[in-house]
Amino acid sequence: MEISSKDESMAPAKFALPVNSEHKATEFRLFSIAAPHMRAFHLSWINFFCCFVSTFAAPPLLPIIRDNLNLTATDIGNAGIASVSGAVFARLAMGTACDLMGPRLASASLSLLTAPAVFLAAAASSPTSFILVRFFAGFSLATFVSTQFWMSSMFSAPIVGTANGLAGGWGNLGGGATQLLMPLLYSLICHLGGANFTAWRIAFFIPATLQVVSAFAILAFGQDLPDGNYKRLEENGSKPKDELSKVFYHGVTNYRGWILALTYGYCFGVELTVDNIIAEYFYDRFDLKLHTAGLIAASFGLANIVSRPAGGVISDKMGKRFGMRGRLWSLWVVQTLGGVLCILLGKVGSLGASIGVMVAFSLFVQAACGLTFGVVPFVSRRSLGVISGMTGGGGNVGAILTQLIFFKGSRYSKETGISLMGVMILSCTLPLWLIYFPQWGGMFCGPSNKANATEEDYYLSEWNAKEKEKGFHIASSKFADNSKSERGRKVTSAPTPPSNGTPTDV
């Protein structure tokens, strides 16, 4: 339900969930579909889930497709890279679009624009056309950014990690679901009389249709912010219309966003890489049936039902107890352990051990994804979408580089490539040590003792004096006040100067 009045004192009565001064929900009720908070949650993860299924519909059927289209190992590697490369810039563009036009229109538009590529997979007749189809379908992965932006706009600081983790994790379930869905659809169509090389083509119509339906559901039932959609809020003056150049500038000049983009490249980027190679890896290395290899591969993606949400929950709990420093430490520890398990996965030689290590690896690497987006919402208030897009795009860049270096052609065996990928995880997680927030500190340093090192100073620095005179900074000021929870109970944070009689102790 939308707020029609600017009187904040009346706002709580307008929502089914308790809210803070920004009208963000302070509770997360998983089994509720209350508008606008929980409805946005369910619409966003379902849409991202459908896009994930569409993007990775091909890998489970690669043994059939490669025979039909005469794909070489290089062609398959190029197709895997193509599937994640398009989303690099799409994710950055999606973040900017969310900042300027809202997550509702941004996510629905991209889903509708990329669905035709999934339908056209049925018409692929050569390696080139197959690669192009996977390239354009992969753009839809940028809906991840709108999902995380939407959750960060709907849920308050103490629970934003949980909301982001669940939405992202359940969306990523598409990577596991497609490993089950596509072989089943293929088998069903063959059972009904379809030829082998026709059945895989017909199967692509199912994920494409689901993607379209989810996009229209967002347009029909979604809402950008707790108070309404961007366009109406800008028309009635409740929300200032921001400038692209300034939103983009404050995002790309924040070094914390670039570090998170790098580290996300070696948790989510690794997840994308594994989604592309794991079914074929088990099929070829252990001489399994297609359906059996798909079932094993599915367990990797399906772990998202608990792993990524668990990362978000851990981030929130560590943030509540130890502040932002707790969020950063837990991210580094979990992702580092994921790197160790990845190295081990490439070393074990038996089927049972490989499955066990793969499942453990999936839990840690996916939890690291959830932990990452427990930090992202606090990097910038004004440029939240750009930071989300940079981080999400970093995940795709990591996937591209990893597949180019380790899984394209025959330079490395897949088991060697997997172990080397683990080494990359360990190396690229170290820069987390460099992230520092003046008001909260970093992994090894406490908060600054300077008088201007407060939450308000940090977030309001994104607005100039002229913009503040017009009141454009008010939302950032509210966010700064609500983000004081990131000081934690176990750390000493910078004092807040008294303002209008507000006490300084927290």
Side-chain angles (χ1 to χ4, degrees):
M1 187 176 294
E2 297 183 0
I3 302 296
S4 58
S5 170
K6 296 182 185 180
D7 183 359
E8 293 178 11
S9 65
M10 297 176 61
K14 298 287 186 177
F15 298 99
L17 275 62
V19 298
N20 63 12
S21 60
E22 299 175 89
H23 305 161
K24 293 182 179 180
T26 57
E27 291 183 7
F28 188 88
R29 299 176 184 172
L30 182 59
F31 300 106
S32 169
I33 55 171
H37 305 93
M38 296 311 303
R39 184 174 295 177
F41 165 76
H42 289 294
L43 287 170
S44 64
W45 81 257
I46 290 172
N47 175 247
F48 181 44
F49 175 94
C50 292
C51 291
F52 221 110
V53 170
S54 294
T55 299
F56 291 99
L61 301 180
L62 268 178
I64 306 301
I65 298 173
R66 70 185 178 188
D67 291 341
N68 187 190
L69 302 182
N70 297 317
L71 301 177
T72 64
T74 299
D75 293 329
I76 293 172
N78 286 335
I81 293 166
S83 69
V84 296
S85 60
V88 174
F89 296 106
R91 287 191 168 197
L92 184 56
M94 173 63 84
T96 307
C98 287
D99 280 323
L100 298 177
M101 62 189 286
R104 172 178 164 271
L105 284 177
S107 58
S109 298
L110 183 62
S111 296
L112 293 173
L113 286 171
T114 53
V118 187
F119 282 111
L120 287 172
S125 58
S126 67
T128 300
S129 59
F130 178 69
I131 291 169
L132 286 174
V133 163
R134 294 214 65 194
F135 173 73
F136 288 111
F139 275 65
S140 67
L141 290 180
T143 52
F144 167 77
V145 175
S146 55
T147 294
Q148 301 297 279
F149 182 97
W150 212 350
M151 296 304 93
S152 299
S153 301
M154 287 289 183
F155 296 93
S156 62
I159 61 171
V160 70
T162 300
N164 274 333
L166 278 164
W170 286 11
N172 281 348
L173 277 175
T178 194
Q179 302 283 356
L180 295 173
L181 176 65
M182 297 306 290
L184 285 175
L185 287 173
Y186 169 78
S187 298
L188 177 62
I189 295 167
C190 287
H191 181 71
L192 294 175
N196 287 357
F197 291 166
T198 301
W200 74 262
R201 298 174 185 276
I202 298 173
F204 273 85
F205 281 84
I206 304 302
T209 301
L210 292 175
Q211 184 173 320
V212 171
V213 171
S214 68
F216 280 115
I218 284 179
L219 291 174
F221 305 111
Q223 182 173 299
D224 290 317
L225 296 172
D227 294 341
N229 291 321
Y230 272 34
K231 183 176 181 181
R232 188 184 68 80
L233 294 174
E234 289 170 352
E235 288 175 349
N236 66 22
S238 299
K239 180 186 181 301
K241 188 173 180 63
D242 217 331
E243 298 179 33
L244 171 61
S245 59
K246 292 182 178 179
V247 169
F248 192 76
Y249 171 80
H250 287 292
V252 299
T253 56
N254 193 317
Y255 80 93
R256 301 166 190 84
W258 291 107
I259 291 177
L260 290 170
L262 173 63
T263 59
Y264 196 63
Y266 284 89
C267 55
F268 182 65
V270 166
E271 184 180 349
L272 290 178
T273 299
V274 174
D275 281 333
N276 267 326
I277 68 167
I278 198 66
E280 188 183 16
Y281 169 70
F282 277 101
Y283 179 86
D284 290 334
R285 187 176 187 193
F286 298 105
D287 195 26
L288 301 177
K289 293 181 179 179
L290 178 63
H291 182 63
T292 304
L295 285 173
I296 295 171
S299 64
F300 180 85
L302 290 175
N304 269 296
I305 196 169
V306 294
S307 55
R308 187 164 185 147
V313 172
I314 291 169
S315 184
D316 285 341
K317 287 187 177 297
M318 293 295 286
K320 184 176 181 180
R321 188 171 178 83
F322 299 104
M324 177 55 67
R325 299 178 70 186
R327 291 185 189 267
L328 293 171
W329 266 107
S330 54
L331 170 55
W332 179 77
V333 169
V334 169
Q335 188 155 323
T336 297
L337 290 174
V340 172
L341 287 166
C342 187
I343 294 173
L344 184 61
L345 177 61
K347 299 294 184 182
V348 294
S350 69
L351 176 60
S354 293
I355 294 173
V357 174
M358 182 198 70
V359 171
F361 166 53
S362 70
L363 293 173
F364 279 89
V365 77
Q366 291 161 6
C369 296
L371 283 154
T372 300
F373 274 84
V375 176
V376 166
F378 300 98
V379 174
S380 171
R381 170 61 178 80
R382 186 175 189 179
S383 304
L384 170 62
V386 174
I387 297 295
S388 299
M390 287 166 56
T391 306
N396 288 76
V397 171
I400 294 167
L401 292 177
T402 301
Q403 291 179 75
L404 276 173
I405 297 170
F406 303 126
F407 301 106
K408 182 182 177 183
S410 56
R411 181 179 180 183
Y412 298 106
S413 65
K414 280 193 170 60
E415 50 267 34
T416 300
I418 289 170
S419 288
L420 291 175
M421 182 168 64
V423 175
M424 289 292 286
I425 295 173
L426 296 179
S427 302
C428 293
T429 303
L430 292 176
L432 285 171
W433 294 0
L434 303 176
I435 293 182
Y436 181 80
F437 291 89
Q439 70 276 32
W440 301 318
M443 287 177 64
F444 298 102
C445 303
S448 172
N449 292 322
K450 295 180 180 179
N452 63 345
T454 65
E455 290 84 358
E456 189 170 54
D457 290 311
Y458 180 82
Y459 292 111
L460 267 61
S461 66
E462 297 178 323
W463 303 92
N464 61 38
K466 194 171 183 180
E467 290 169 331
K468 290 177 182 176
E469 288 177 4
K470 296 179 180 178
F472 289 0
H473 69 295
I474 292 175
S476 293
S477 183
K478 290 179 181 179
F479 181 78
D481 185 59
N482 289 320
S483 68
K484 289 177 183 176
S485 60
E486 291 308 299
R487 298 179 180 185
R489 294 201 303 261
K490 297 293 183 180
V491 295
T492 303
S493 189
T496 303
S499 175
N500 298 324
T502 303
T504 60
D505 57 332
V506 179

